[in-house]
Amino acid sequence: MLFSEPGYTLIAGTETFMSGAVAEGIDAARAQFGRYARAMKKRWPHLQGIATAYPPEHRAWSHPSDVTPGTATARLMSLLSAFAQGTCTAADFADGWWEARRAAHSQGERTSGDLADLLDRVFMVLEDYTPDPELREPGDLTDSGLRERIRHLVASA
């Protein structure tokens, strides 16, 4: 941890330490610091130089067409499309979604605006779905219920 001037503290460490210290991810923290530096430029003008020296590695995508091909977020979008079109089973969609979402987070991929809202809504819908019919509880989504909700989200996005 380094505190060389007022207005910020620089931290570094192992991947395990950083994931605990910066739970939202390093890229998200860097982006947030950039916004903070802009907001505080009159009080601490030196922060802008620090924010410039440590920018996020990924920009935040706000629309599906902005997403860089080959990324985990691109995989999320591909799964959404395939499932909504009926070319992917509900269980494959759910399994692939959780795997790609974890990968997007671990790789520091960020979304914002409408795209972030869509991905968050899909997350919430999947919270109500259990792939194994024998483990479903009353009120859990069925495969067809999941597809219906996802199609609605995709159509309204």
Side-chain angles (χ1 to χ4, degrees), residues 96-137:
W97 181 270
W98 294 123
E99 181 182 319
R101 186 166 171 94
R102 282 189 298 275
H105 180 72
S106 71
Q107 294 167 19
E109 296 176 13
R110 297 179 302 118
T111 57
S112 65
D114 292 340
L115 181 57
D117 291 343
L118 172 63
L119 298 181
D120 286 346
R121 286 189 201 122
V122 172
F123 175 88
M124 296 304 293
V125 168
L126 278 169
E127 286 286 299
D128 293 333
Y129 174 73
T130 301
D132 186 343
E134 292 182 17
L135 298 177
R136 286 190 192 133
E137 296 179 0

Side-chain angles (χ1 to χ4, degrees), residues 1-155:
M1 186 176 292
L2 173 66
F3 177 77
S4 60
E5 299 178 64
Y8 79 102
T9 301
L10 183 65
I11 62 171
T14 64
E15 186 174 330
T16 302
F17 171 79
M18 292 303 290
S19 66
V22 189
E24 72 273 18
I26 294 169
D27 254 20
R30 287 179 174 191
Q32 184 178 7
F33 181 73
R35 291 187 294 276
Y36 170 76
R38 285 189 297 278
M40 300 303 291
K41 67 182 173 185
K42 287 185 180 178
R43 184 172 181 186
W44 292 312
H46 64 282
L47 295 182
Q48 196 62 48
I50 297 161
T52 301
Y54 298 99
E57 290 184 24
H58 301 282
R59 67 174 233 205
W61 302 301
S62 59
H63 190 270
S65 63
D66 298 337
V67 177
T68 303
T71 61
T73 303
R75 174 82 175 126
L76 289 171
M77 300 312 300
S78 175
L79 282 164
L80 256 181
S81 176
F83 185 60
Q85 292 173 12
T87 60
C88 173
T89 69
D92 288 343
F93 170 70
D95 290 344
W97 181 270
W98 294 123
E99 181 182 319
R101 186 166 171 94
R102 282 189 298 275
H105 180 72
S106 71
Q107 294 167 19
E109 296 176 13
R110 297 179 302 118
T111 57
S112 65
D114 292 340
L115 181 57
D117 291 343
L118 172 63
L119 298 181
D120 286 346
R121 286 189 201 122
V122 172
F123 175 88
M124 296 304 293
V125 168
L126 278 169
E127 286 286 299
D128 293 333
Y129 174 73
T130 301
D132 186 343
E134 292 182 17
L135 298 177
R136 286 190 192 133
E137 296 179 0
D140 284 351
L141 287 173
T142 62
D143 292 2
S144 60
L146 176 63
R147 190 176 314 274
E148 181 181 316
R149 300 270 292 283
I150 294 301
R151 282 181 174 158
H152 177 74
L153 289 176
V154 169

